[in-house]
Amino acid sequence: MLIVAALGGNALLRRGEPLTAENQRANVRRAATALAALISEGHSLVITHGNGPQVGLLALETAGPDGAGLPLDVLGAETEGMIGYMIEQELAGILKERRFATLLTLVKVSADDPAFRKPTKFIGPVYTAETARKLADQRGWKVAPDGEMWRRVVASPAPRTIMEADVISLLVRQGVVVICTGGGGIPVVEGSDGSLLGIEAVIDKDAASALLAEQLGADMLLLLTDVDAVYADFGAPNARPLAKIDPGSVDEKQFPAGSMRPKIAAASRFSAGTGHRAAIGRLEDAAAIMAGIKGTTFFSDRAD
């Protein structure tokens, strides 16, 4: 079975942890252990991952006195390489007989996507309201409240095409475990001459992972996070986990707008569009989610 497994930000940094190399390494090691179990069961695996904290911190560190720094597409490429390296190194230490490849992945978006007019994607560390507004003035950022704190927000256009999908498919057919589409991939638009131009944006990792799974003809999309399942009436006293969701009838807008809503939208899109399973659950439960014991499974009438 070919699985596209998307690692949430918690795979690299648990909530509240400082963004240090040691913390990231420890969390990647935990993720690699869970993923290695799926590979050992005989599944083919393509791994994607988030990069929000990392790309935001790099943007802050590389900005000069005038606020100018490296563009987000370049920072996305840097974090794809860094995080992919860590994942590949940890997996290779567990599964010494397997082959791995980390691939920088371009993702085409539309230059007139309405997301560019209303940035909503959080990146980087959290700030107090005062600090966030000061940084916005200094660096020309857009900022918005994220719970009780504030963070930088950037445009998050919808992914249209995973440019390296054919290369990824070729590697998978050769038995290679591929790590790709990190942070949603490197956002590019097509120029008038057909060239691909990097653009200041961050693509949602779950949406890009669902698109990648579609293009690869994957048998399952696995969205791994730090929550054990999708909950109905989340945050209310009667909140309850949902074992199964019909992707044809679910309304993702009924769920919290944070990290869970895009996961539900991505899982629904993949399952409804392909007839294959998608699932959301906790990283440590990956094998149990595959078995249908834990997490939330999305299925349609055509589901396998």
Side-chain angles (χ1 to χ4, degrees):
M1 180 181 287
L2 173 57
I3 304 167
V4 172
L7 302 178
N10 65 291
L12 299 167
L13 196 70
R14 296 190 180 189
R15 298 175 196 269
E17 282 185 336
L19 185 57
T20 65
E22 292 77 12
N23 285 337
Q24 291 181 83
R25 175 74 67 186
N27 288 320
V28 168
R29 187 172 296 119
R30 180 174 58 92
T33 300
L35 295 173
L38 299 180
I39 298 169
S40 296
E41 290 176 1
H43 298 297
S44 297
L45 204 61
V46 173
I47 302 165
T48 68
H49 58 82
N51 72 342
Q54 291 80 10
V55 77
L57 185 61
L58 273 178
L60 188 64
E61 290 178 343
T62 59
D66 60 353
L70 295 175
L72 282 175
D73 61 310
V74 173
L75 295 176
E78 288 190 12
T79 55
E80 265 202 280
M82 176 188 71
I83 297 168
Y85 158 68
M86 288 185 174
I87 295 172
E88 181 174 342
Q89 188 179 40
E90 293 299 329
L91 279 171
I94 300 172
L95 300 172
K96 297 180 174 58
E97 73 287 358
R98 295 303 299 266
R99 295 178 295 170
F100 303 89
T102 298
L103 189 67
L104 293 182
T105 315
L106 308 185
V107 179
K108 192 188 317 185
V109 303
S110 174
D112 59 1
D113 192 300
F116 288 109
R117 296 192 293 271
K118 188 178 180 181
T120 58
K121 184 71 172 178
F122 290 112
I123 65 169
V126 297
Y127 306 102
T128 64
E130 180 181 1
T131 301
R133 293 191 182 102
K134 185 179 298 184
L135 286 168
D137 290 339
Q138 291 174 347
R139 305 186 185 280
W141 290 356
K142 300 289 186 182
V143 295
D146 183 12
E148 296 181 355
M149 303 298 284
W150 286 64
R151 295 177 72 189
R152 182 186 178 188
V153 289
V154 299
S156 183
R160 301 297 183 189
T161 306
I162 310 296
M163 303 301 294
E164 283 78 17
D166 288 346
V167 177
I168 296 166
S169 183
L170 176 64
L171 290 169
V172 169
R173 291 197 299 270
Q174 296 299 315
V176 178
V177 178
V178 183
I179 302 135
C180 61
T181 324
I186 303 164
V188 296
V189 296
E190 188 171 352
S192 57
D193 61 352
S195 60
L196 297 175
L197 310 171
I199 197 163
E200 194 78 350
V202 172
I203 301 169
D204 180 76
K205 172 261 305 174
D206 297 311
S209 299
L211 178 59
L212 175 64
E214 291 175 19
Q215 289 188 232
L216 294 179
D219 301 295
M220 186 168 186
L221 173 64
L222 191 56
L223 303 177
L224 300 171
T225 181
D226 59 352
V227 179
D228 62 337
V230 176
Y231 278 73
D233 300 314
F234 183 79
N238 61 333
R240 62 195 185 283
L242 300 174
K244 294 182 180 180
I245 289 179
D246 180 354
S249 61
V250 66
D251 179 7
E252 62 265 16
K253 293 181 181 178
Q254 297 177 351
F255 295 87
S259 63
M260 191 54 72
R261 185 182 295 179
K263 285 179 172 54
I264 292 169
S268 297
R269 168 182 167 164
F270 173 77
S271 183
T274 66
H276 296 315
R277 285 191 302 154
I280 298 173
R282 191 163 47 199
L283 172 63
E284 293 87 344
D285 297 335
I289 295 168
M290 285 293 303
I293 300 171
K294 293 187 177 182
T296 299
T297 297
F298 291 71
F299 67 99
S300 68
D301 293 338
R302 297 184 294 128
D304 54 356

